């Protein structure tokens, strides 16, 4: 019997506890943001506790940030939450990427970008999309605020070891089909809870060929399939990505030597395996109110089979059997921790270049971090978007969850590179359609989805 | 944390599958920096009409259900965002027990930290429990791992450690801090790359 990547990582981090029971696990990196941390700091204060390892904790502001004028938070309660994080970081001696700071951005974008996220780590954050960091060969998962407090105080966390699931991705993606489509298709075909209770590892030739950005997109959405951890074996692509990053080890060779031990010995070591051929995939588009309610762009929307599907159709104001390409799109959003990295913005810009968005469409482009924004501007991508009639904004979570001023109006269909199409997610009664950056960009140009595999379609 | 051993109460059925935490407590209420006061916003977008008045059709607004402490629901309850505000809101409204087909892992953990007991029962049993009258009381016996209604008993599974935690209502951090030596030893031995 061999071991999985997950087993090896887990074993290295057990501080105490028996197999089969919740075990105390050491946390290498704790990322903090303003929304899920205030009550945790308050708990520390009440109980006169300190942060055990400020050097392993890193905070940023992302969810509340207004992306039009970041220094002008009009919402008093939002402002209070931002200020509370600032005070807490000061009081407890934590590093903070503050508003406007070079390092600021969406927590799951800046962790990797700064080299904080590394292979072999346990990474936690009070945010379900922490799974993103698993792309580096780490166990990364979202936690609740009580757990945030626990990690701040002890640098450890109680967890019951999940089962393991291997997802074998093989085959070559067709041109125009993206990493986003792989994970959307997986969820569409297996449901929003197929990964519950499991740590999921994506492996195989397809994964090896993907860039770190694309790997992160896939791991990011593992949680939408119910898996709180998504991960991938660290390899040369991972190591190359980390080279020269601010907080990555300076002596990278020694670290790499250590990281190389983290891989799954054999496919039979997983509790469950899913085989998944990506070569026949079409770009995916979501039509309903959870990420599994999605279809290939050239397909018709499904029949009504139960009250959950009926409810989704009512909310989205759509009818079964229309084509995904018939969904009218009046708004588009490119950004978020799923698809707000430089590579994503580049893909979208590539489609947008030389075109103009349709007349009745509003388009927001929101880089995932200040560094992404700066890099994109250096490449002139902002100009491509502006010429096409899009709004180029400041970095933040923005309309991914719309708890800041960035909201999609009620009744509007929005093509979005985000990860959740829940009721009201992007604004009350807003209707979200998830898709890849290139698909969303093309939808902006046409006012509806098109199959971007057909060049003439754009 | 408040301990749970035996609980008797009335039910509210909300039988959709995949009820996500964005529905349980929408984002506009996550800006608060306290742990309390979320009950009034529980299921806000379902509970209130666009003009802000309570939606009379939504079950949480029905006068006969105001004292319910047990929520019955579909599969994969609490999926999506990790926001513990969802657990705080359910608790603040008065729920002590949830009976669903399953839970997202993060939401389940959040329940264990807040004294809300998440029970898993099969659809057939939940179908029966969802039909109870608003004043029908059921009993949850955690030590025996049974849901009891009249002369019927439905057994449920729960991990032994979580069960103990619910029964004892212990503060995790205090327990962990007693293991300080082990944590320090771990830190001394872990690889560090400069
Ligand atoms: S971009 Fe969206 S999903 Fe990602 S952390 Fe921000 S709100 Fe959450």
């Amino acid at each position: 019997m061999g071991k999985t990547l997950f087993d090896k990582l887990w074993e290295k981090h057990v501080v105490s506890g028996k197999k089969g029971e919740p075990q105390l696990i050491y946390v290498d990196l704790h990322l903090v943001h303003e929304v899920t941390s205030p009550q945790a700091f308050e708990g520390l204060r009440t109980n006169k506790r300190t942060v055990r390892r400020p050097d392993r904790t890193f905070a940023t502001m992302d969810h509340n940030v207004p992306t039009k004028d970041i220094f002008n938070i009009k919402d008093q309660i939002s402002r209070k939450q931002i200020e509370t994080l600032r005070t807490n970081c000061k009081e407890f001696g934590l590093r903070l990427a503050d508003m406007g700071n070079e390092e600021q951005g969406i927590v799951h974008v800046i962790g990797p970008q700064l080299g904080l996220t590394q292979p072999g780590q346990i990474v936690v954050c009070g945010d379900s999309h922490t799974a993103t960091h698993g792309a580096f060969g780490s166990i990364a998962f979202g936690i609740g605020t009580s757990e945030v407090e626990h990690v701040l105080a002890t640098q450890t966390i109680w967890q019951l070891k999940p089962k393991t699931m291997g997802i074998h991705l093989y085959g070559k993606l067709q041109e125009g089909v993206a990493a986003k489509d792989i994970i959307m298709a997986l969820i569409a075909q297996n449901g929003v809870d197929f990964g519950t209770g499991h740590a999921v590892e994506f492996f195989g030739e397809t994964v090896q060929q993907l860039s770190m950005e694309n790997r992160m997109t896939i791991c990011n959405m593992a949680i939408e399939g119910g898996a709180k951890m998504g991960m991938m074996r660290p390899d040369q692509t991972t190591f190359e990505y980390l080279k020269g990053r601010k907080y990555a080890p300076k002596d990278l060779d020694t670290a790499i030597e250590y990281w190389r031990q983290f891989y799954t010995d054999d496919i039979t070591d997983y509790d469950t395996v899913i085989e998944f051929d990506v070569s026949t995939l079409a770009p995916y588009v979501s039509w309903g109110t959870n990420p599994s309610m999605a279809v290939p762009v050239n397909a018709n929307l499904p029949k009504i089979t139960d009250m959950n599907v009926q409810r989704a159709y009512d909310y989205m104001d759509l009818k079964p059997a229309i084509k995904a390409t018939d969904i009218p799109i009046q708004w588009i959003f490119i950004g978020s921790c799923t698809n707000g990295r430089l590579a994503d913005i580049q893909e979208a810009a590539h489609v947008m270049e030389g075109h103009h968005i349709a007349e009745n469409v509003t388009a927001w482009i929101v880089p995932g971090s200040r560094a992404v924004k700066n890099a994109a501007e250096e490449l002139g991508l902002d100009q491509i978007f502006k010429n096409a009639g899009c709004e180029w904004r400041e970095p933040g979570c923005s309309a991914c969850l719309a708890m800041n001023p960035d909201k999609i109006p009620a009744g509007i269909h929005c093509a979005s590179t985000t990860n959740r199409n829940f009721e009201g997610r992007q604004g009350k009664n807003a209707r979200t359609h998830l898709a890849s950056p290139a698909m969303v960009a093309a939808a902006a140009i046409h006012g509806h989805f098109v199959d971007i595999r057909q060049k003439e379609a754009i | 944390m408040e301990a749970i051993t035996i609980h008797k109460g009335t039910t509210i059925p909300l039988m959709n599958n995949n009820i996500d935490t964005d529905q349980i407590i929408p984002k506009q209420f996550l800006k608060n920096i306290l742990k309390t006061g979320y009950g009034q916003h529980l299921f806000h977008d379902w509970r209130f009409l666009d003009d802000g008045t309570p939606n009379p059709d939504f079950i949480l607004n029905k006068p006969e259900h105001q004292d319910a402490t047990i929520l019955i629901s579909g599969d994969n309850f609490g999926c999506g965002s990790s926001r513990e505000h969802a657990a705080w809101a359910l608790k603040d409204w008065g729920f002590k027990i949830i009976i669903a087909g399953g839970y997202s892992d993060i939401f389940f953990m959040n329940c264990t930290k807040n004294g809300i007991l998440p029970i898993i029962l099969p659809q057939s049993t939940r179908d029966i429990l969802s039909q109870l009258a608003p004043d029908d009381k059921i009993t949850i016996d955690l030590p025996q791992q049974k849901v009891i209604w009249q002369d019927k008993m439905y057994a449920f599974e729960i991990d032994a450690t979580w069960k103990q935690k619910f029964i004892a209502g212990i503060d995790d951090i205090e327990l962990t801090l007693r293991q300080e030596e082990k944590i320090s030893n771990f830190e001394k031995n872990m690889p560090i790359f400069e």
Side-chain angles (χ1 to χ4, degrees):
Chain A
M1 263 303 274
K3 285 176 184 163
T4 62
L5 162 65
F6 175 79
D7 296 325
K8 292 178 185 178
L9 276 164
W10 182 273
E11 276 170 20
K12 287 255 186 248
H13 288 86
V14 176
V15 175
S16 83
K18 291 197 224 70
K19 272 191 184 154
E21 292 174 11
Q23 291 172 299
L24 192 63
I25 300 294
Y26 195 81
V27 172
D28 298 292
L29 174 66
H30 184 194
L31 300 167
V32 173
H33 67 73
E34 79 276 15
V35 182
T36 54
S37 66
Q39 295 84 354
F41 286 110
E42 194 51 40
L44 292 183
R45 254 190 299 272
T46 316
N47 295 293
K48 304 205 170 28
R49 289 173 179 146
T50 53
V51 174
R52 182 180 177 90
R53 295 296 299 261
D55 59 324
R56 292 184 172 273
T57 314
F58 194 97
T60 191
M61 298 157 172
D62 49 11
H63 286 65
N64 277 285
V65 177
T67 61
K68 223 178 157 83
D69 181 1
I70 57 164
F71 296 110
N72 187 8
I73 305 187
K74 295 214 179 71
D75 182 335
Q76 292 300 326
I77 324 176
S78 273
R79 184 179 321 166
K80 173 108 181 148
Q81 202 165 60
I82 294 272
E83 278 164 8
T84 303
L85 180 61
R86 205 171 277 145
T87 331
N88 284 332
C89 287
K90 208 159 168 195
E91 181 181 338
F92 291 96
L94 306 184
R95 293 173 290 178
L96 168 69
D98 205 334
M99 305 279 271
N101 181 299
E102 283 302 304
E103 296 182 353
Q104 184 229 332
I106 303 172
V107 64
H108 311 308
V109 176
I110 65 162
Q113 175 189 296
L114 292 170
L116 286 163
T117 308
Q118 296 164 20
Q121 288 178 330
I122 303 274
V123 182
V124 300
C125 172
D127 193 284
S128 60
H129 290 99
T130 308
T132 315
H133 308 261
F136 287 79
S138 61
I139 296 180
F141 54 98
I143 58 179
T145 299
S146 297
E147 291 177 304
V148 170
E149 182 179 341
H150 189 281
V151 177
L152 288 171
T154 69
Q155 203 57 34
T156 59
I157 185 163
W158 290 100
Q159 289 288 303
L160 190 58
K161 191 179 177 191
K163 293 202 178 86
T164 56
M165 179 185 288
I167 300 187
H168 182 202
L169 303 179
Y170 62 94
K172 197 172 169 329
L173 285 174
Q174 294 172 31
E175 178 123 10
V177 184
K180 177 71 162 282
D181 300 311
I182 298 179
I183 188 68
M184 281 185 66
L186 260 166
I187 296 166
Q189 294 171 25
N190 295 283
V192 281
D193 57 357
F194 76 93
T196 302
H198 288 79
V200 162
E201 181 186 346
F202 302 92
F203 68 99
E205 59 187 60
T206 314
V207 178
Q208 285 163 20
Q209 284 153 16
L210 293 175
S211 68
M212 283 318 292
E213 284 84 353
N214 285 332
R215 293 182 189 185
M216 284 188 254
T217 299
I218 293 179
C219 289
N220 172 278
M221 283 188 71
I223 183 72
E224 309 312 331
K228 80 175 177 180
M229 307 153 187
M231 52 175 53
M232 290 168 179
R233 172 186 185 167
D235 62 10
Q236 206 49 39
T237 308
T238 323
F239 309 145
E240 289 295 328
Y241 179 96
L242 283 164
K243 209 175 267 174
R245 305 230 167 226
K246 183 165 177 192
Y247 297 106
K250 298 286 165 288
D251 179 5
L252 203 59
D253 291 339
T254 315
I256 290 174
E257 210 171 295
Y258 176 77
W259 294 338
R260 283 200 195 278
Q261 67 181 298
F262 296 115
Y263 60 87
T264 295
D265 294 323
D266 191 84
I267 190 165
T268 56
D269 297 323
Y270 301 109
D271 293 308
T272 318
V273 174
I274 294 180
E275 293 287 341
F276 201 76
D277 179 3
V278 307
S279 61
T280 53
L281 281 188
Y284 264 67
V285 171
S286 80
W287 60 268
T289 52
N290 75 45
S292 75
M293 294 173 164
V295 291
V297 64
N298 45 11
N300 291 349
L301 305 194
K303 291 199 187 75
I304 294 172
T305 43
D306 64 21
M307 72 161 192
N308 299 296
V309 176
Q310 177 69 58
R311 186 184 171 98
Y313 272 115
D314 291 346
Y315 180 86
M316 297 300 286
D317 191 28
L318 292 171
K319 296 246 157 4
I322 66 161
K323 285 204 168 62
T325 45
D326 293 336
I327 301 170
I329 296 297
Q330 300 108 351
W331 209 286
I332 67 125
F333 176 77
I334 294 173
S336 88
C337 59
T338 309
N339 282 131
R341 297 182 184 79
L342 184 61
D344 304 309
I345 309 266
Q346 269 173 314
E347 271 169 42
H350 183 67
V351 173
M352 227 29 123
E353 191 159 21
H355 293 278
H356 201 279
I357 58 172
E359 213 170 296
N360 58 343
V361 170
T362 304
W364 287 350
I365 321 293
V366 180
S369 70
R370 184 147 308 278
V372 169
K373 181 168 190 266
N374 292 345
E377 286 174 1
E378 224 152 87
L379 294 169
L381 305 184
D382 58 325
Q383 216 44 58
I384 294 179
F385 289 117
K386 286 181 200 158
N387 291 345
C390 308
E391 253 187 71
W392 178 251
R393 294 187 154 226
E394 295 290 324
C397 292
S398 185
C400 174
L401 95 163
M403 74 178 281
N404 41 60
D406 307 353
K407 294 178 177 51
I408 311 301
I412 294 289
H413 289 270
C414 176
S416 182
T417 65
T418 56
N419 43 50
R420 285 189 179 138
N421 49 345
F422 297 157
E423 288 181 23
R425 172 78 178 181
Q426 293 199 284
K428 192 161 190 212
N429 292 322
R431 299 171 174 142
T432 302
H433 299 279
L434 307 173
S436 73
M439 280 291 289
V440 169
I445 300 168
H446 295 276
H448 60 83
F449 284 112
V450 295
D451 187 345
I452 54 164
R453 287 174 303 174
Q454 293 149 7
K455 279 269 174 303
E456 64 282 3
I458 308 169
Chain B
M1 190 177 95
E2 220 177 297
I4 299 182
T5 45
I6 294 176
H7 176 79
K8 194 166 184 184
T10 56
T11 58
I12 285 188
L14 210 56
M15 300 309 288
N16 333 17
N17 290 332
N18 305 314
I19 293 183
D20 58 78
T21 54
D22 275 67
Q23 309 314 320
I24 298 173
I25 184 89
K27 65 238 163 190
Q28 60 268 37
F29 307 111
L30 306 186
K31 297 176 184 175
N32 208 306
I33 54 170
L34 305 171
K35 273 192 186 184
T36 49
Y38 297 95
Q40 54 185 314
H41 307 304
L42 179 68
F43 290 112
H44 179 276
D45 289 0
W46 294 354
R47 203 162 133 203
F48 297 98
L49 300 170
D50 286 348
D51 63 4
T53 57
N55 174 0
D57 294 335
F58 188 58
I59 193 157
L60 245 71
N61 291 330
K62 308 240 177 200
E64 63 273 27
H65 278 297
Q66 292 312 302
D67 298 326
T69 51
I70 302 162
L71 181 66
I72 320 273
S73 192
D75 293 334
N76 197 29
F77 187 84
C79 61
S81 158
S82 62
R83 57 188 73 166
E84 195 163 321
H85 311 68
W88 297 333
L90 287 161
K91 190 180 170 73
D92 201 33
W93 195 87
F95 287 119
K96 296 204 158 39
I97 314 275
I98 307 175
I99 299 178
Y103 302 90
S104 85
D105 295 333
I106 301 176
F107 178 78
F108 185 94
M109 286 302 286
N110 287 339
C111 287
T112 69
K113 305 280 179 185
N114 289 284
I116 298 175
L117 179 63
I119 294 175
I120 298 180
L121 283 176
Q123 168 115 34
S124 51
T125 315
R126 282 179 288 123
D127 283 346
I128 298 169
L129 296 177
S130 69
Q131 301 299 329
L132 301 187
D135 55 356
D136 275 343
K137 283 199 167 159
I138 63 173
T139 303
I140 282 78
D141 184 332
L142 179 56
Q144 305 273 349
Q145 297 183 208
K146 287 201 165 70
V147 175
I148 305 159
W149 179 54
Q150 293 180 348
D151 55 348
K152 299 203 179 50
M153 300 225 240
Y154 307 101
F156 61 87
E157 299 287 321
I158 182 167
D159 175 84
T161 318
W162 301 142
K163 178 174 168 179
Q164 248 0 84
K165 268 186 52 131
F166 279 114
I167 292 176
I170 321 167
D171 171 7
D172 271 352
I173 300 184
E174 198 44 55
L175 269 186
T176 308
L177 287 173
R178 288 187 213 151
Q179 309 220 17
E180 153 63 27
E181 211 182 302
K182 281 191 184 161
I183 302 174
S184 292
N185 276 337
F186 183 93
E187 284 175 329
K188 275 185 212 118
N189 294 320
M190 65 187 186
I192 291 176
F193 305 106
E194 299 298 336

